[in-house]
Amino acid sequence: MVTGASRGIGRGLVDALAAAGATVALTARSQDEADAIAEEVITEGGRASGHVMDVSDVSSISTAFDKIMQQHGRIDVLVANAGLGANHPAIDVTEADWDDMMDVNAKGLFFTAQAAGKVMLAQGSGRIVAISSQASLVGIRDHAVYCASKGAANQLVRVLALEWGSLGVTVNAVAPTFIYTPGTAERLDDPEYRRGVIERIPMGTVGTIADVAGAVIYLASDEAALVNGVILPVDGGWTAQ
């Protein structure tokens, strides 16, 4: 199961997981979007189904999980990718800015993971992989609310790992640096902005969706059976400084 699958990293993860052999239940905020993506995966030889889910709405989460279970009978992996990002100087942040981001990045993650946990604990096995951010590990100017929301996501991952690890369900997160996607292209295609980013990454390059997908597939695999409660940076060394 991949949430927030309609664009960017989520869309790329759907393709990568399908190519790795998974049957992907993908979610988006409209049925038409979800169905179109699932059809693209099927056309490419993969297995997928599309479902509506708004992670800021707990009833929407419950409905989506019910439908996925009715169709597929089990959920082995949750990739909790749905997230909201925005740039706000701290002095300008409004209550609505705070609430919108926390509703998706913290509340949405928790209740999506909780719904998956109920299924996986009953199965006696499962993998939950949250998409966090390097902004959960270091401060980034103009991202006070985003950093706070992703820091909350990391702490949720750690607590769920403690509670569920002994019951067969591992919970981890991937924390990417700036990833080149259609959504970040406008900023990263600006030479000055890109230069400022590259100067912070020791490997001298921004990331790709494939970089994130490799980490997600590892954490979802049998090879990561003893990995639990880990926040895995995919950041070219940004947070090592």
Side-chain angles (χ1 to χ4, degrees):
M1 180 176 177
V2 179
T3 68
S6 62
R7 59 185 59 86
I9 291 174
R11 180 66 186 85
L13 292 177
V14 169
D15 288 338
L17 288 160
T23 298
V24 183
L26 61 97
T27 74
R29 296 185 70 173
S30 84
Q31 190 66 58
D32 287 346
E33 264 189 321
D35 287 343
I37 296 165
E39 186 58 37
E40 289 173 8
V41 173
I42 292 166
T43 298
E44 292 297 316
R47 300 186 303 273
S49 62
H51 306 270
V52 173
M53 190 167 79
D54 177 355
V55 300
S56 67
D57 179 348
V58 176
S59 65
S60 175
I61 294 171
S62 297
T63 298
F65 271 84
D66 287 345
K67 290 182 177 179
I68 290 168
M69 287 299 292
Q70 288 169 12
Q71 182 166 350
H72 296 287
R74 63 184 296 114
I75 299 171
D76 296 301
V77 178
L78 166 67
V79 181
N81 167 77
L84 184 64
N87 301 338
H88 300 291
I91 200 69
D92 295 330
V93 171
T94 66
E95 183 178 6
D97 294 332
W98 177 273
D99 289 345
D100 288 347
M101 199 167 296
M102 289 297 179
D103 276 352
V104 174
N105 294 358
K107 173 186 168 184
L109 168 63
F110 176 77
F111 284 103
T112 304
Q114 183 191 65
K118 290 175 181 178
V119 172
M120 293 174 179
L121 292 172
Q123 295 171 173
S125 66
R127 300 274 192 272
I128 296 174
V129 184
I131 303 301
S132 183
S133 168
Q134 68 180 13
S136 69
L137 301 169
V138 295
I140 298 179
R141 292 176 185 273
D142 299 330
H143 286 73
V145 186
Y146 184 73
C147 289
S149 70
K150 290 300 188 177
N154 288 4
Q155 287 297 83
L156 289 172
V157 164
R158 293 180 177 112
V159 173
L160 297 180
L162 292 175
E163 294 191 13
W164 299 345
S166 65
L167 302 174
V169 179
T170 64
V171 187
N172 297 287
V174 175
T177 187
F178 286 83
I179 303 298
Y180 192 88
T181 70
T184 62
E186 182 178 354
R187 285 177 292 161
L188 291 176
D189 285 343
D190 178 317
E192 184 175 353
Y193 188 91
R194 188 182 182 94
R195 189 180 311 111
V197 170
I198 293 297
E199 286 174 354
R200 297 293 303 275
I201 302 176
M203 291 186 70
T205 183
V206 297
T208 67
I209 292 174
D211 294 322
V212 181
V216 169
I217 290 170
Y218 165 65
L219 291 173
S221 73
D222 291 342
E223 283 71 20
L226 198 60
V227 181
N228 190 36
V230 166
I231 314 302
L232 175 59
V234 179
D235 66 354
W238 181 307
T239 60
Q241 301 179 78

